[in-house]
Amino acid sequence: MPESRNVEYVELGEGSSPKLEKLPKVSVIPLVFLIFYEVSGGPFGVEDSVQAAGPLLALLGFLVFPFIWSIPEALITAEMGTMFPENGGYVVWVSAALGPYWGFQQGWMKWLSGVIDNALYPVLFLDYLKSAIPALEDGFIRIIAVLILTAALTYLNYRGLTIVGWVAILLGVFSLLPFVFMGVVAIPKLNPSRWLLVDTGNINWGLYLNTLFWNLNYWDSISTLAGEVENPGKTLPKALFYALILVVFGYFFPLLIGTGAIPVDRDLWSDGYFSDIAKILGGVWLRSWIQVASALSNMGMFLAEMSSDSFQLLGMAERGMLPECFSRRSRHGTPLTGILFSASGVILLSWMSFQEIVAAENFLYCFGMIMEFIAFVKLRMEHPAASRPYRIPIGTAGSILMCIPPTILILVVLAIASFKVMVISIIAVIIGLVLEPCLRFSEKKRWFSFSRDSVIVDFHSVNYQSS
């Protein structure tokens, strides 16, 4: 495609219908907490980093790892999300750079990994409650509880992204406040020498890296609902910046308090150990607060993930990648078919054993991130004159260099996966490779109706015409 710097950029989504313009848009603060729950949800789950490597490496990991992974991913999301401020996010980026076939593969792998991830949260929520309500541990009552919880959270998504955003704020504040109280009561007991403990001969590198990776990824998920954001060119980069600070602080501060206030026994540092620390430092009331906060955090992560997954399907349908029914909105402006489809996947997966399936989810996520990095660099090289409301202040060479450390990390994560995980992931990838031509065949045979939304502007045909 011939290059030209005299190009006219038509903002994607410009000229939208009056019906869509009347729908409320997501502002900065709700967006910050949506990102917070896409990525983190609080320090619940970081305990394994101390068990794997000790206090010093755990603390250093949550300070250094964001520079290797989180910051590059957030910066790329900010630039590409403002370059393509429409629903679909990374699917649109990859389609623009590599073509719609690979855009569909990106969408398939990311949606599947998101649904697998979301299937965990209703189950984990009930796991936190089963000590108080033993009937929830297994059996018919647990099945009914999973269905009711999934239905209730799905209904919140149906009612609108604005409601989801404000619920995320309330849950986020409630989930983080107990750690502030824990920090205050821990001050007299802090022993800074405990932060420096490390045993280089006893480090589980696989558990350590997986814990860091699990807790500091998914920054790109918010891009799939960029079309619902108020003034995305300014709001999205700000929200990503504030969310990055909130996530890192939300991990580092509790780890600092937990490892410094009581003697470190690495064997005790596993999921849920923060509630034991809270009891030692503040009593039963603080432990109960953290247990409830941990349970509710799963609700926040479910809401944020389902919003991302369903709007991704809507964006793909608007681009003609999925049947037209996925692009239809409810009276609340939400993608009803996408929500129901994502909820069905969550319910089907809720009965499965998750340990290796979750590892497969990370495997699929890594494949998707590699395509995002390629798309980012390719668009920088081939279309440097394209309008980018937010541009990372580095050139093409800097863009390539920025992607090298996270790519190396992805290769490490892929390399440490088990053979079974590799097989499951490759089967999932093959399904996507076959599914796209099947959908094109069904379109040709008119078994399903496909359409391209009139407000969506084609990247290649409009944005980059030579003058």
Side-chain angles (χ1 to χ4, degrees):
M1 187 179 302
E3 192 77 272
S4 172
R5 293 190 175 271
N6 299 317
V7 291
E8 181 180 357
Y9 176 72
V10 179
E11 184 167 331
L12 300 175
E14 195 172 60
S16 58
S17 68
K19 181 180 178 181
L20 292 182
E21 290 175 353
K22 290 178 182 179
L23 295 173
K25 297 289 185 177
V26 181
S27 57
V28 172
I29 296 177
L31 194 63
V32 168
F33 280 89
L34 281 172
I35 298 170
F36 172 74
Y37 274 114
E38 291 278 9
V39 176
S40 168
F44 316 107
V46 304
E47 297 96 333
D48 284 339
S49 64
V50 179
Q51 182 186 105
L56 179 61
L57 289 181
L59 291 167
L60 287 176
F62 281 99
L63 285 180
V64 175
F65 196 88
F67 288 93
I68 299 173
W69 180 264
S70 301
I71 291 177
E73 188 182 8
L75 287 172
I76 290 172
T77 301
E79 176 169 319
M80 302 299 289
T82 57
M83 186 179 181
F84 300 95
E86 61 175 282
N87 299 320
Y90 37 69
V91 177
V92 182
W93 315 343
V94 174
S95 297
L98 305 177
Y101 179 81
W102 292 109
F104 179 89
Q105 304 310 317
Q106 172 78 352
W108 164 249
M109 286 186 286
K110 284 300 192 80
W111 179 82
L112 186 59
S113 67
V115 170
I116 294 172
D117 183 51
N118 227 14
L120 291 169
Y121 300 132
V123 174
L124 291 175
F125 177 83
L126 295 178
D127 285 342
Y128 284 109
L129 297 182
K130 68 184 180 184
S131 59
I133 310 174
L136 294 175
E137 186 166 358
D138 52 31
F140 181 72
I141 294 179
R142 182 180 177 88
I143 293 174
I144 295 299
V146 168
L147 292 173
I148 292 174
L149 184 60
T150 302
L153 296 176
T154 301
Y155 178 72
L156 280 177
N157 272 278
Y158 163 74
R159 285 303 306 272
L161 197 56
T162 303
I163 292 177
V164 171
W166 286 105
V167 170
I169 292 174
L170 294 175
L171 294 176
V173 171
F174 183 84
S175 297
L176 292 175
L177 270 181
F179 293 97
V180 175
F181 279 94
M182 191 169 75
V184 172
V185 300
I187 291 175
K189 302 178 181 180
L190 288 177
N191 181 355
S193 64
R194 294 172 181 149
W195 297 329
L196 305 177
L197 295 176
V198 62
D199 181 2
T200 55
N202 182 25
I203 298 176
N204 184 339
W205 289 106
L207 178 61
Y208 177 67
L209 290 175
N210 274 323
T211 302
L212 293 175
F213 186 74
W214 175 264
N215 285 285
L216 286 164
N217 60 16
Y218 280 89
W219 294 93
D220 59 337
S221 294
I222 200 66
S223 68
T224 62
L225 42 84
E228 311 303 308
V229 175
E230 179 183 291
N231 191 8
K234 294 182 179 179
T235 302
L236 187 59
K238 284 182 181 178
L240 283 162
F241 174 74
Y242 296 141
L244 183 65
I245 295 173
L246 182 63
V247 167
V248 173
F249 179 80
Y251 287 144
F252 187 78
F253 180 75
L255 278 175
L256 200 67
I257 297 302
T259 55
I262 62 174
V264 177
D265 184 346
R266 284 174 55 180
D267 291 335
L268 296 177
W269 278 83
S270 59
D271 288 344
Y273 187 55
F274 273 124
S275 62
D276 295 330
I277 297 174
K279 182 182 178 182
I280 295 171
L281 297 176
V284 175
W285 71 273
L286 188 56
R287 181 186 66 177
S288 299
W289 189 357
I290 285 185
Q291 286 177 332
V292 174
S294 182
L296 293 179
S297 177
N298 287 293
M299 293 177 59
M301 289 186 282
F302 183 100
L303 290 170
E305 184 64 56
M306 180 167 280
S307 296
S308 174
D309 294 342
S310 58
F311 275 100
Q312 177 196 316
L313 297 181
L314 181 144
M316 292 177 71
E318 289 178 339
R319 286 243 157 196
M321 296 180 180
L322 292 175
E324 185 181 18
C325 60
F326 285 94
S327 66
R328 294 172 185 163
R329 295 176 183 249
S330 70
R331 61 191 180 91
H332 302 290
T334 49
L336 180 58
T337 305
I339 289 173
L340 293 176
F341 207 73
S342 298
S344 298
V346 168
I347 292 172
L348 289 173
L349 290 167
S350 292
W351 321 123
M352 302 177 69
S353 174
F354 290 113
Q355 290 184 350
E356 291 191 332
I357 294 180
V358 168
E361 170 206 343
N362 277 340
F363 208 88
L364 292 172
Y365 181 82
C366 288
F367 275 136
M369 286 308 306
I370 288 174
M371 284 203 288
E372 284 183 33
F373 292 153
I374 293 173
F376 166 68
V377 172
K378 191 170 187 288
L379 291 173
R380 269 295 188 101
M381 294 176 66
E382 295 184 356
H383 309 292
S387 175
R388 293 168 170 85
Y390 174 82
R391 175 188 285 266
I392 306 172
I394 53 177
T396 301
S399 301
I400 296 172
L401 291 174
M402 186 182 71
C403 292
I404 291 176
T407 301
I408 293 173
L409 177 65
I410 285 173
L411 296 177
V412 171
V413 172
L414 295 176
I416 64 177
S418 68
F419 177 75
K420 186 175 180 180
V421 166
M422 290 183 185
V423 171
I424 293 173
S425 302
I426 290 172
I427 291 173
V429 170
I430 292 173
I431 291 173
L433 295 174
V434 174
L435 183 59
E436 200 277 343
C438 288
L439 286 172
R440 299 285 70 82
F441 181 77
S442 69
E443 180 181 14
K444 183 179 179 181
K445 293 292 185 179
R446 298 188 179 182
W447 294 341
F448 298 103
S449 174
F450 290 77
S451 67
R452 181 181 295 254
D453 194 301
S454 60
V455 307
I456 300 299
V457 183
D458 186 79
F459 180 81
H460 289 293
S461 64
V462 177
N463 294 355
Y464 298 97
Q465 292 178 355
S466 301
S467 60

